[in-house]
């Protein structure tokens, strides 16, 4: 096998995994830092999957975390309430994987149900419908006593760790990347570029919009499930509008339509967000001023304005790095 | 004579109170090059939009190869074998010229989602084939050097050719060209006329075109329909139409064109 035939992306992922594991063993990376890396990897899934809907297919979804919420609650209800899984029991890891996939599938079904009626709407109208959907999902969790209502679903077993999360994250990126870089992906791109022209070269635009929504929702559901089993909690506020906007900012910061950009922005903004959280807290402690974590969102919003004004293409524009992009089949 | 490829009966379309197309009847036999002319705003583009399913006609019937296609979704009409270009270009600007063409070939591909995502050998073989065909079409249009260029960076004349190539990539039986010579210089117009003849002769695609450029219309169209304010004012061979009093009036007369 020729060296350049070895998939570059896989090589980078393995290298990243090995380096972090070694640094963790050497105590250079502590538990807190590893947690932020895990969160970043989960945001990689959320951002790339939203990018499939908003960036590649050119739709405007504002309720992405609603799908993540479905995945989180369904997988956690299964693992915690139905199967009562425990990380210390040997076979339970496999069942956990099943729970996560079930959460993703449930989110995909919801995506499909929302997609069919609402994807006839364009632009702003679609944004409003998806926003409404996200809030409905959040309110539903808030009022469902089986899953804890406003307290949230507690005591979720901690199955998510660096290994499970990086595997899920890399797989998600590969599947979405391979989809985009196929004839089906080009069909989705054509909708973003010019919907009328897409339809008039034979693309069933409704089918591909629904497909993008369903795929996007599936992976958001996977990410939600991983998150719930990482922080051992599923809470309605994690899946509200503000959280969806955070993911939206990621894809704009990274470049709408660029998977590479989404990955970089997911890491960059997750770290920035944690940095701001710490910074604001120590500022409040030092000065005694009543400033809280909400200021993070102000800085986030300013960042978005900054991006729109000075680099409205985002970090990458629509470009991909050679690590993500597949060579043409010659 | 065999059944016409495209048959339009009593086609009428209103935009609110405006009658944009009125009692339009036309038959296009397989293998012909027919033209549609008329002053600006006379309803030519609207007629193409009705044939391709962008609008559903208020009245009338459109049949293609004997099938009633009236009111069908645009992509289904493409699958039946009707392709078109646009008066105001509609390209996929941020995608390469090659991708613009490959997208038009998409509906005739067979690889499913699973084999595409797993990049199975069958998927790769098909990708190779699609790429080869797309490059051949680019070559035919003298656009090979632009294959990897973002379409929006191409000059106007090349974009017109790219749109024709893209339409051909859907493997049509009938192609509708909406003012293909618009904005072209005399040399480009001559090349375009040769190209249209090749499309008909080599690809066996029937051509129905809208054009203001009289050299093109009179030079290659076998039969011409003239409309004004949505109404048919003349129809016939080029020389019959050219000197028809109503046509002269519509073009040179009262409206001071
Ligand atoms: N979508 C539309 N809504 C309302 N009026 C339209 C629409 N499209 C075209 N028209 C009107 O219909 C008439 C015919 O337009 P069109 O078919 O574009 O003319 P042509 O292509 O012959 O120049 C014009 O008066 C135009 O303003
Ligand atoms: Mg017109």
């Amino acid at each position: 096998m020729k060296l350049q035939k070895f998939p570059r992306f896989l090589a980078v992922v393995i290298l990243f995994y090995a380096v972090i594991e070694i640094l963790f063993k050497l105590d250079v990376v502590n538990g807190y830092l590893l947690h932020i890396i895990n969160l970043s990897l989960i945001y990689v899934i959320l951002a790339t999957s939203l990018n499939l809907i908003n960036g590649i297919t050119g739709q405007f979804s504002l309720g992405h975390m609603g799908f993540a919420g479905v995945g989180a609650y369904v997988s956690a209800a299964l693992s915690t309430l139905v199967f009562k899984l425990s990380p210390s029991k040997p076979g339970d890891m496999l069942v956990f994987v099943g729970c996560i996939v079930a959460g993703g599938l449930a989110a995909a079904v919801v995506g499909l149900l929302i997609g069919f009626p609402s994807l006839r709407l364009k632009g702003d109208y679609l944004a409003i419908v998806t926003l409404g959907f996200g809030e409905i999902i959040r309110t539903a969790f808030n009022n469902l006593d089986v899953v804890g209502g406003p307290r949230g679903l507690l005591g979720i077993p901690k199955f998510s760790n660096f290994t499970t999360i990086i595997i899920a994250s890399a797989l998600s990126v590969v599947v979405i990347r391979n989809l985009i870089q196929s004839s089906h992906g080009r069909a989705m791109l054509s909708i973003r570029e010019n919907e009328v022209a897409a339809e008039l070269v034979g693309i069933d635009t409704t089918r591909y919009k629904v497909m993008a929504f369903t795929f996007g929702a599936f992976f958001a559901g996977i990410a939600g499930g991983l998150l719930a089993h990482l922080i051992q909690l599923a809470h309605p506020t994690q899946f509200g509008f503000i959280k969806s906007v955070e993911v939206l900012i990621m894809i704009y910061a990274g470049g709408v339509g660029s998977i590479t950009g989404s990955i970089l922005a997911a890491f960059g903004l997750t770290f920035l967000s944690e940095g701001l959280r710490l910074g604001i807290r120590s500022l409040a402690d030092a000065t005694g001023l009543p400033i809280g974590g909400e200021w993070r969102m102000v800085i986030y919003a300013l960042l978005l304005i900054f991006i729109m004004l000075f680099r409205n293409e985002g970090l990458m524009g629509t470009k991909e790095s050679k690590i993500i992009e597949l060579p043409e089949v010659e | 004579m065999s059944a016409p490829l495209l048959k339009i009966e009593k086609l009428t379309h209103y935009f609110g109170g405006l009658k944009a197309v009125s009692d339009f009847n036309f038959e296009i036999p397989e293998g012909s090059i027919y033209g549609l002319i008329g002053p600006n705003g006379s309803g030519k583009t609207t007629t193409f939009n009705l044939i391709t399913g962008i609008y559903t006609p208020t009245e009338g019937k459109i049949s293609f190869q004997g099938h009633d296609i009236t009111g069908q979704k645009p992509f289904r009409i493409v699958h039946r074998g009707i392709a078109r270009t646009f008066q105001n270009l509609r390209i996929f600007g941020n995608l390469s010229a090659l991708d613009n063409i490959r997208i038009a070939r998409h509906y005739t591909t067979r690889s499913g989602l699973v084999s595409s995502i797993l990049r199975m050998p069958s998927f790769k073989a098909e990708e190779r084939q699609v790429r080869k065909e797309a490059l051949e079409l680019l070559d035919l249009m003298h656009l090979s050097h632009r294959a990897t260029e973002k379409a929006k960076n191409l000059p106007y004349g090349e974009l017109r050719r790219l749109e024709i190539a893209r339409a051909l990539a859907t493997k049509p039986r009938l192609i509708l060209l909406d003012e293909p010579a618009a904005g072209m210089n005399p040399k480009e117009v001559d090349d375009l006329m040769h190209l249209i003849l090749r499309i008909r002769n080599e690809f066996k695609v029937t051509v129905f075109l809208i054009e203001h450029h009289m050299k093109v219309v009179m030079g290659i169209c076998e039969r011409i329909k003239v409309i004004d304010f949505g109404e048919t004012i003349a129809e016939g061979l080029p020389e019959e139409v050219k000197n028809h009093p109503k046509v002269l009036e519509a073009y040179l007369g009262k409206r001071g064109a």
Side-chain angles (χ1 to χ4, degrees):
Chain A
M1 193 162 101
K2 274 187 294 177
L3 192 64
Q4 76 244 39
K5 277 226 158 170
F6 193 77
R8 280 173 293 215
F9 179 69
L10 185 61
V12 170
V13 170
I14 291 173
L15 190 69
F16 179 76
Y17 179 72
V19 168
I20 298 297
E21 279 288 327
I22 291 167
L23 290 179
F24 185 66
K25 294 269 146 52
L26 295 176
D27 250 351
V28 179
V29 167
N30 61 18
Y32 173 65
L33 198 54
L34 192 65
H35 179 71
I36 309 303
I37 292 172
N38 283 334
L39 280 182
S40 303
L41 287 168
I42 289 173
Y43 271 106
V44 165
I45 305 178
L46 289 167
T48 37
S49 58
L50 182 61
N51 209 343
L52 183 68
I53 300 170
N54 288 30
I56 302 299
T57 317
Q59 305 306 297
F60 199 86
S61 170
L62 264 178
H64 205 53
M65 284 308 272
F67 297 127
V70 173
Y73 272 91
V74 169
S75 66
L78 287 174
S79 70
T80 315
L81 306 176
V82 179
F83 297 115
K84 302 190 172 30
L85 302 181
S86 156
S88 53
K89 274 188 267 166
D92 278 10
M93 191 61 178
L94 263 177
V95 187
F96 160 71
V97 172
C99 294
I100 293 289
V101 172
L105 290 176
V109 169
V110 174
L112 196 68
L113 292 179
I114 309 267
F116 262 115
S118 55
L119 286 173
R120 298 179 190 285
L121 303 171
K122 299 209 191 297
D124 305 345
Y125 297 101
L126 179 63
I128 290 166
V129 168
T130 53
L131 187 151
F133 149 75
E135 289 307 287
I136 288 169
I137 291 281
R138 193 179 59 80
T139 313
F141 294 142
N142 220 357
N143 290 292
L144 266 180
D145 285 334
V146 241
V147 290
R151 272 179 302 117
L153 184 55
L154 307 168
I156 301 171
K158 189 169 166 51
F159 273 100
S160 296
N161 55 38
F162 184 48
T163 312
T164 47
I165 291 174
I166 199 171
I167 292 172
S169 188
L171 266 177
S172 306
V173 169
V174 167
V175 169
I176 292 172
R177 187 266 318 259
N178 288 7
L179 175 64
I180 293 172
Q181 294 184 28
S182 75
S183 197
H184 299 286
R186 289 193 292 265
M188 291 174 176
L189 281 166
S190 73
I191 298 173
R192 174 190 80 189
E193 290 297 312
N194 193 319
E195 194 168 336
V196 173
E199 187 91 10
L200 284 154
V201 294
I203 306 294
D204 182 349
T205 55
T206 306
R207 173 166 178 256
Y208 277 98
K209 283 194 273 184
V210 171
M211 192 190 287
F213 237 73
T214 310
F215 265 83
F218 174 78
F219 286 107
I222 297 282
L226 290 170
L227 183 65
H229 290 84
L230 178 71
I231 60 175
Q232 299 181 265
L233 169 73
H235 196 272
T237 55
Q238 291 172 305
F239 306 108
F241 167 65
I242 299 288
K243 291 290 173 180
S244 294
V245 171
E246 274 186 38
V247 186
L248 200 65
I249 292 173
M250 280 178 187
I251 68 170
Y252 276 95
V256 181
S258 167
I259 299 301
T260 313
S262 289
I263 295 171
L264 294 176
F267 269 91
L269 292 182
T270 307
F271 271 83
L272 177 71
S273 169
E274 280 301 313
L276 287 173
R277 194 198 303 280
L278 295 179
I280 289 170
R281 194 189 298 157
S282 43
L283 190 70
D285 289 347
T287 59
L289 288 171
I291 43 176
E294 317 84 63
W295 280 90
R296 213 164 42 96
M297 282 315 292
V298 175
I299 295 171
Y300 247 69
L302 287 174
L303 184 75
L304 185 63
I305 293 170
F306 186 80
I307 294 167
M308 288 303 141
L309 284 179
F310 297 105
R311 194 171 170 85
N312 58 18
E313 289 238 286
L315 187 65
M316 295 293 294
T318 54
K319 287 195 202 64
E320 294 292 359
S321 75
K322 288 281 166 240
I323 296 165
I324 294 294
E325 192 163 47
L326 292 164
E328 284 275 341
V329 182
E330 304 261 2
Chain B
M1 212 177 102
S2 63
L5 183 66
L6 183 76
K7 184 173 182 185
I8 302 173
E9 295 163 275
K10 299 194 170 119
L11 191 68
T12 300
H13 192 68
Y14 284 89
F15 289 114
L18 175 79
K19 204 175 194 179
V21 176
S22 172
D23 194 25
F24 190 106
N25 295 282
F26 209 42
E27 290 187 5
I28 303 181
E30 180 117 44
S32 54
I33 301 178
Y34 275 25
L36 177 62
I37 65 172
N40 277 328
S42 56
K44 305 181 296 297
T45 298
T46 303
T47 303
F48 273 17
N49 288 342
L50 292 169
I51 297 171
T52 52
I54 292 182
Y55 305 133
T56 300
T58 316
E59 277 168 52
K61 182 177 166 190
I62 304 164
S63 318
F64 184 68
Q65 292 180 314
H67 300 279
D68 184 355
I69 59 164
T70 324
Q72 283 193 5
K73 285 190 166 184
F75 78 90
R76 293 211 189 283
I77 293 174
V78 177
H79 295 192
R80 285 222 177 264
I82 302 181
R84 74 174 285 182
T85 64
F86 300 89
Q87 181 179 353
N88 307 309
L89 296 165
R90 286 180 180 274
I91 49 147
F92 306 130
N94 292 305
L95 307 182
S96 69
L98 180 67
D99 279 346
N100 268 264
I101 297 185
R102 288 198 284 198
I103 287 162
R105 174 69 164 73
H106 173 67
Y107 90 87
T108 45
T109 60
R110 305 171 60 94
S111 299
L113 279 174
V114 174
S115 84
S116 299
I117 289 169
L118 297 178
R119 298 179 75 80
M120 309 235 271
S122 62
F123 160 80
K124 287 191 174 171
E126 186 167 54
E127 278 285 283
R128 215 170 282 129
Q129 177 64 22
V130 167
R131 184 183 154 86
K132 184 171 148 271
E133 286 176 26
L135 288 173
E136 280 167 7
L137 269 176
L138 282 175
D139 191 43
L140 176 82
M141 298 291 156
H142 308 294
L143 290 170
S144 293
H145 59 298
R146 298 292 196 186
T148 57
E149 183 100 40
K150 266 192 188 180
K152 67 177 175 195
N153 297 335
L154 268 56
Y156 194 76
E158 293 188 351
L159 286 177
R160 289 234 163 256
R161 298 211 297 277
L162 182 64
E163 266 208 350
I164 296 176
R166 188 178 67 179
L168 288 177
T170 67
K171 307 191 171 178
R173 306 294 313 143
L174 170 70
I175 188 167
L176 311 178
L177 304 172
D178 196 345
E179 302 199 19
M184 285 188 172
N185 64 37
K187 161 84 172 63
E188 286 175 322
V189 170
D190 283 343
D191 290 345
L192 177 75
M193 288 169 67
H194 280 116
L195 180 67
I196 294 173
L197 288 170
R198 277 188 74 184
I199 289 171
R200 193 266 307 268
N201 299 340
E202 287 174 33
F203 287 75
K204 309 284 177 227
V205 178
T206 305
V207 179
F208 187 24
L209 65 90
I210 295 172
E211 194 45 77
H212 281 304
H213 223 282
M214 279 308 135
K215 187 177 171 192
V216 178
V217 181
M218 296 302 159
I220 59 175
C221 290
E222 287 146 7
R223 196 173 174 83
I224 297 165
K225 188 177 183 73
V226 193
I227 60 175
D228 193 15
F229 293 113
E231 308 262 358
T232 302
I233 56 172
E235 192 184 316
L237 303 172
E239 47 275 23
E240 290 172 355
V241 160
K242 192 157 51 179
N243 298 312
H244 194 288
K246 277 193 178 171
V247 177
L248 293 174
E249 186 188 303
Y251 271 91
L252 308 168
K254 292 173 227 151
R255 271 196 269 161

